[in-house]
Amino acid sequence: MSDRYQDLAHNPVGKFLVKNLGLPNPPYLDRYSGGALVKGSVLTGSATSGAKAGSVAKEVTAALKAYGIDATGVRADGKKYKGLVFDATGIDSAAGLVALQEFFTPVLRQLAGSGRVVVIGSLPEEAATESAAIAQRALEGFTRSLGKEIGGGSTANLVYVAAGAEKTLGSTLGFLLSPKSAYVSGQVVRLGTTGITKVAPVKDVTKPLAGKVALVTGASRGLGEADMRTLARDGATVIGLDVPPLADDLKALAEELGGGYIVGDITSADAPAQIAEYIKTHHGGVDIIVHNAGITRDKRLRNMKPENWQLVVEISVGAPQRITDHLIEAGLVNRGGTVIGIASIAGIAGNNGQTNYASAKAGVIGWIQSLAKRVADQGITANVIAPGFMETEMVKTIPLGIREAGRRMNSMSQGGLPVDVAEAIAWLSSPGSATVSGNVIGVNGQMLLGAS
């Protein structure tokens, strides 16, 4: 669905009104269109005091080089930088946090439009001292605040690295520094928290999913269609699943992408066995499972019908849990595989009239975080994507006032696109992201109020 206000804000009359009335000014976001991940130079820096000062800096340099990203540690006056990366793992006291100000203040005006800021820290729970834990936890407040300051479609995100996972930064830095993360800001990514500290090499960063098999539910339209297209673009063989009324759309999409399809209802008793049989017969196993299927049946709790409560919960989390467990128990999820659950900002912050939906999506988070711990010894990862306001066909049913509030109440002053969710899924699915597990990633433009 087009954003007419965004177009208005960029014509001469609109620019005048936006500037003089202090109205939201949604920038046109830079999204990935092929070629180099980062089209421009990235400036790096690191804390120069503290017990771990600069300990991750060399790994950052190696990771950026491996992903074809031009990086330098020397600032040049007047030069524009597409990204800024700061290794803050060496900050071990509240006083040491001034290193953030000393690095960023002089260079922020040199950040290009749709620029990227990434701060790298150590897990606070692994800190050697209480002072170091304080300093590392403070990075979250810094990064989220900076994300709300920089504007121009730029983003700021934090990456916490567990001890031993320092060499696995490449895939995550490649995503967060590139246009693929256009609608991801104010997020905290944790690497190595489930004990997985090694990744397989990515031979081709433009086709990181080559040789992988991906299953996407709710695949025929909207977010699911974008997931299918993006995973296929990155080299995966895709299998789409959707309900019988959408079978024609599903088949056409699968055939266009050279993939397969399953027509069925994920809530049916035989769905896990049906899916398992298809995967075993046609592919022998699956590497990526994206539980995208979901519905809304919005009513305030006082008017909620039991069947509408149960259906929403069943589709969002009950059926995905059963299907995943069946595939894992059958040995059909390959080692190095990943399971991705789709939650929602509603599952984090709540939403009026969506107690069923918010419960279901919060349940997705609880399930996936538990699953991540359970399957880590099999080399399988599990993560959650929590979209915010997305420009899908569904928004046409939202009243105008609520629709505009949803669009404007984030750091980007606009809704996201289905491809923004798909890009995050592709990043989490990459072999290079094998240490990213148990995470909840908000694809929401960084909400200004409530959950980030």
Side-chain angles (χ1 to χ4, degrees):
M1 186 174 180
S2 63
D3 186 342
R4 293 181 180 178
Y5 175 84
Q6 183 182 41
D7 294 334
L8 172 65
H10 286 269
N11 70 35
V13 174
K15 287 181 181 179
F16 176 82
L17 292 174
V18 164
K19 179 179 180 180
N20 287 278
L21 297 179
L23 299 174
N25 186 14
Y28 289 120
L29 301 183
D30 182 14
R31 289 185 168 88
Y32 185 68
S33 58
L37 283 176
V38 180
K39 296 175 182 177
S41 184
V42 172
L43 179 67
T44 64
S46 64
T48 56
S49 62
K52 296 177 66 177
S55 62
V56 176
K58 65 178 182 179
E59 304 300 344
V60 170
T61 300
L64 296 178
K65 182 178 179 181
Y67 278 75
I69 299 172
D70 176 38
T72 178
V74 180
R75 182 172 73 93
D77 290 337
K79 182 175 181 177
K80 287 290 185 180
Y81 295 100
K82 201 63 179 174
L84 306 173
V85 180
F86 187 74
D87 167 21
T89 57
I91 301 177
D92 59 5
S93 68
L97 290 167
V98 72
L100 296 165
Q101 183 272 324
E102 291 173 342
F103 174 76
F104 284 106
T105 297
V107 77
L108 278 177
R109 288 184 177 86
Q110 294 176 246
L111 185 65
S114 289
R116 301 285 181 263
V117 173
V118 180
V119 177
I120 301 170
S122 299
L123 290 170
E125 56 268 32
E126 290 185 350
T129 66
E130 186 175 276
S131 292
I134 291 169
Q136 291 301 309
R137 181 58 178 79
L139 299 178
E140 293 191 32
F142 171 82
T143 307
R144 287 179 170 143
S145 293
L146 183 56
K148 294 177 179 180
E149 281 188 18
I150 49 182
S154 295
T155 66
N157 293 285
L158 171 64
V159 180
Y160 279 133
V161 186
E166 296 87 353
K167 294 183 182 295
T168 69
L169 281 161
S171 178
T172 297
L173 286 179
F175 172 70
L176 293 177
L177 288 170
S178 77
K180 294 182 178 183
S181 60
Y183 206 60
V184 177
S185 191
Q187 300 305 302
V188 180
V189 182
R190 293 172 172 85
L191 274 61
T193 57
T194 60
I196 302 174
T197 57
K198 295 181 180 179
V199 299
V202 177
K203 297 178 181 179
D204 182 353
V205 297
T206 66
K207 295 286 184 182
L209 304 182
K212 304 296 183 182
V213 176
L215 170 68
V216 180
T217 68
S220 64
R221 297 178 181 177
L223 298 182
E225 179 185 355
D227 298 345
M228 291 274 283
R229 292 187 181 280
T230 303
L231 293 170
R233 178 204 67 190
D234 282 3
T237 298
V238 290
I239 305 166
L241 186 155
D242 222 322
V243 292
L246 298 176
D248 289 344
D249 290 343
L250 177 65
K251 180 180 179 181
L253 177 63
E255 290 179 347
E256 177 190 343
L257 300 176
Y261 63 95
I262 303 170
V263 177
D265 180 352
I266 62 171
T267 67
S268 66
D270 65 346
Q274 178 191 9
I275 294 167
E277 180 61 28
Y278 181 94
I279 289 171
K280 182 177 180 180
T281 300
H282 293 274
H283 302 284
V286 66
D287 302 284
I288 302 159
I289 304 172
V290 183
H291 288 292
N292 171 73
I295 63 168
T296 57
R297 293 292 185 271
D298 296 351
K299 287 287 183 182
R300 288 191 172 185
L301 190 58
R302 69 185 72 172
N303 300 318
M304 183 72 66
K305 294 180 179 180
E307 58 268 28
N308 285 341
W309 177 283
Q310 189 58 35
L311 186 61
V312 169
V313 173
E314 178 69 1
I315 291 176
S316 285
V317 68
Q321 181 188 22
R322 288 195 302 276
I323 291 167
T324 301
D325 284 349
H326 186 89
L327 294 176
I328 291 173
E329 290 166 6
L332 292 173
V333 181
N334 296 328
R335 188 170 188 84
T338 190
V339 179
I340 298 173
I342 304 298
S344 167
I345 192 67
I348 299 171
N351 205 8
N352 186 1
Q354 288 194 319
T355 52
N356 54 352
Y357 185 74
S359 297
K361 294 307 186 180
V364 170
I365 295 172
W367 165 52
I368 289 291
Q369 290 185 325
S370 176
L371 179 66
K373 297 174 183 177
R374 178 158 57 91
V375 298
D377 62 349
Q378 300 176 51
I380 299 171
T381 62
N383 292 283
V384 176
I385 299 293
F389 186 96
M390 308 306 294
E391 297 286 357
T392 64
E393 288 298 309
M394 189 182 298
V395 306
K396 292 180 179 179
T397 66
I398 300 174
L400 179 61
I402 298 175
R403 185 192 313 162
E404 282 304 301
R407 281 177 171 147
R408 309 307 162 205
M409 295 296 287
N410 60 72
S411 293
M412 305 298 168
S413 297
Q414 62 193 281
L417 301 181
V419 71
D420 297 324
V421 172
E423 293 286 17
I425 288 171
W427 154 57
L428 292 172
S429 301
S430 170
S433 301
T435 61
V436 186
S437 194
N439 281 252
V440 180
I441 306 299
V443 182
N444 56 40
Q446 191 181 22
M447 304 298 287
L448 296 183
L449 299 174
S452 63

